[in-house]
Every structure is written in C-alpha cells, then in structure tokens.
Amino acid sequence: PYAYQLPWFEFQAGSTPVRIIGDNRPESARRLSPVLVLPSPGLSYEYMENLEAFTVSERRVCFAALSAPATVAQLAAQARAALDALEAPGRAHVVAHGAGAVAALALASAAPSRVASLVLVSPFATADDLEPAARDAGSSRPLLASASTSGRACVDAVLQTAGAGASVGAVLAGAAPPGVAALAEPAARAVPALVVRGSRGDVSSAATASALLAALPRATVATFDASGPLPFVDEDERFREAALNLFDAADGVATRRAVMGGKGGVEVMS
C-alpha cells in the first residue's frame, strides 16, 4: 500500500506514544492540515491503522495512544502533546473513536484555532452516552465489534494482545461530564464536525449523536448502515471519502483519492 512507502516515526510525545506517517513537504506546499487520530483511551492505536490511508491526500497522519483512566484535562493534555509533535504551523483535523471524543472535544474547546475539523466516531464520555447493551459490558470488546469479517486483522491483534481492556464506560477518572456533548464548549462550536455511528450494534446511542448535533452547529451526522462501532473498518472506503471531503472543505482545497503506480497503474488506498 502507498502508506508503506512513506517515512514514519514512532516515539513518545511527553508520556504519549505517537506514530507519524507521511512527508510534510507536499502537505506544507499545498497548505494542508495534517490528521490527528485518537483511539479510545486505554487501547492501542493499532486497531485504527487502516486510517493511514488518509495519506493519499498528501496529509500526514499522527496516531496517539491515550492512557486511561484519566481526567478530561489529562486526556486533552495528551492530545495536545500529540498535536505539538506534528510541528504543524497551523491546524490539524482530529479523528476520534469512542471515548477519544472526550480528548478531541476538550482540545477543540481549549484551542479551537488548532483544530481544522472533527470526526467523532461512535463517540461517548460516560455510560449515559451508550446504548443499554454496552452499558452492561465489562470490557472494551463491544467497542471493537465489527460487522465485517474482513479487513479487521489489526482490530483482532489489539484484542489478543490487550485482552478485554477497560469497561467501555469506565475510561474517565475524576468528575465526569453529564454526557459527551457537554464537552462542546462555545469555543468549539465554530469547528466543522462529522459525527459517525453505525446502525448495526453501535455502542454510542442515537440520542448521543443528536445531542452532539445540537451542541455543534457546524456538525452533520452520518449513519453507516452496514457498520457497528467500527465504520472505518466495516465501510472503510465510504468512511474515508466522507472524512476526506470534510478535510478538503475545511482546508479549502481538493486533494487526490488515488496514487499513480510506477508503471502507470492506479492504486486506490485501501
């Protein structure tokens, strides 16, 4: 795949493990904003590895592993450290999964000038944001459930190495917000956003998506009918297109969706 041909770096940004893929030269030349990917806290970013495909647009992609349990402020600080590691002169697009939405919204509220757009996938902060079945789960497994039997090798690897992980609704320490939408402070409301959920067993409730839509005036909701809580796995091409369309609109530029191979072939990112 194209992303495997790009330079990549894996290191600690303070106490936050990060992986950055891509070349900042075309990104800088076209004035593109890089992409910051935030998995649900307590889980390895490996399960979101297929989002390396965003590099087809000539944007760098930075994955950050958020620790849990953590307070809202601590998650925001971890996200900020990863953003600083990109050394981007401007903003970044932030893609967050599960309770990674806590860090994304806290970052957008504290530093809206550094967030170009938000993509919140199956977002939640507390058990109140979850579907009833997910509230009763004693592990993170429901968040990593897929409606697809293919393309999820990285997800399965995370489950095997990390085990069941923390309970879906138990990633926050200290005082918790009444719901993830409450984290969208006024400063974050100018940021364009896409709220994504699957209709086949998602952990994040439809009511949570509606609350975020009300809290973020520039947000839209996309429901993926063939997906559970992993639409970037179950319907990867559709997810990638929806996210890149948002990024392009925020950056004010049209970017590519395919790469010409060395012998004239076209490689579409997958």
Side-chain angles (χ1 to χ4, degrees):
Y2 170 72
Y4 294 171
Q5 303 172 32
L6 297 174
W8 64 276
F9 310 91
E10 207 161 31
F11 56 95
Q12 295 282 130
S15 61
T16 305
V18 300
R19 177 192 293 165
I20 299 176
I21 300 148
D23 187 339
N24 68 347
R25 290 173 296 182
E27 176 186 281
S28 178
R30 299 197 64 194
R31 297 184 179 181
L32 300 172
S33 300
V35 183
L36 174 61
V37 177
L38 303 175
S40 204
L43 294 174
S44 165
Y45 48 64
E46 299 286 350
Y47 77 94
M48 300 185 76
E49 189 176 72
N50 69 340
L51 296 186
E52 291 176 350
F54 286 144
T55 56
V56 72
S57 68
E58 298 184 290
R59 295 177 174 94
R60 288 175 298 152
V61 178
C62 174
F63 296 87
L66 305 174
S67 62
T71 65
V72 173
Q74 288 169 337
L75 290 173
Q78 293 175 53
R80 185 71 173 259
L83 182 58
D84 290 343
L86 276 164
E87 298 182 345
R91 310 173 298 170
H93 303 286
V94 181
V95 180
H97 181 235
V102 173
L105 286 167
L107 178 64
S109 295
S113 64
R114 300 197 63 191
V115 178
S117 70
L118 291 168
V119 180
L120 307 176
V121 188
S122 304
F124 66 88
T126 70
D128 291 338
D129 294 316
L130 301 173
E131 293 285 3
R135 294 176 195 171
D136 299 331
S139 75
S140 62
R141 289 187 184 278
L143 184 62
L144 299 180
S146 174
S148 172
T149 58
S150 62
R152 54 167 289 129
C154 292
V155 179
D156 292 336
V158 168
L159 282 172
Q160 291 169 7
T161 58
S167 172
V168 170
V171 297
L172 289 181
V180 70
L183 294 167
E185 297 181 7
R189 293 172 187 168
V191 178
L194 179 66
V195 180
V196 181
R197 67 183 304 274
S199 62
R200 297 178 61 182
D202 203 334
V203 300
S204 181
S205 70
T208 297
S210 296
L212 282 165
L213 190 62
L216 296 167
R218 298 188 65 190
T220 57
V221 174
T223 301
F224 284 61
D225 293 334
S227 297
L230 296 175
F232 49 87
V233 173
D234 296 334
E235 297 178 76
D236 57 331
E237 290 185 11
R238 182 188 167 198
F239 179 86
R240 183 168 60 251
E241 186 69 15
L244 287 174
N245 286 343
L246 177 69
F247 301 166
D248 285 2
D251 287 345
V253 64
T255 59
R256 67 189 184 187
R257 299 292 187 270
V259 180
M260 296 302 297
K263 295 183 179 181
V266 177
E267 177 186 3
V268 179
M269 292 301 294
S270 60

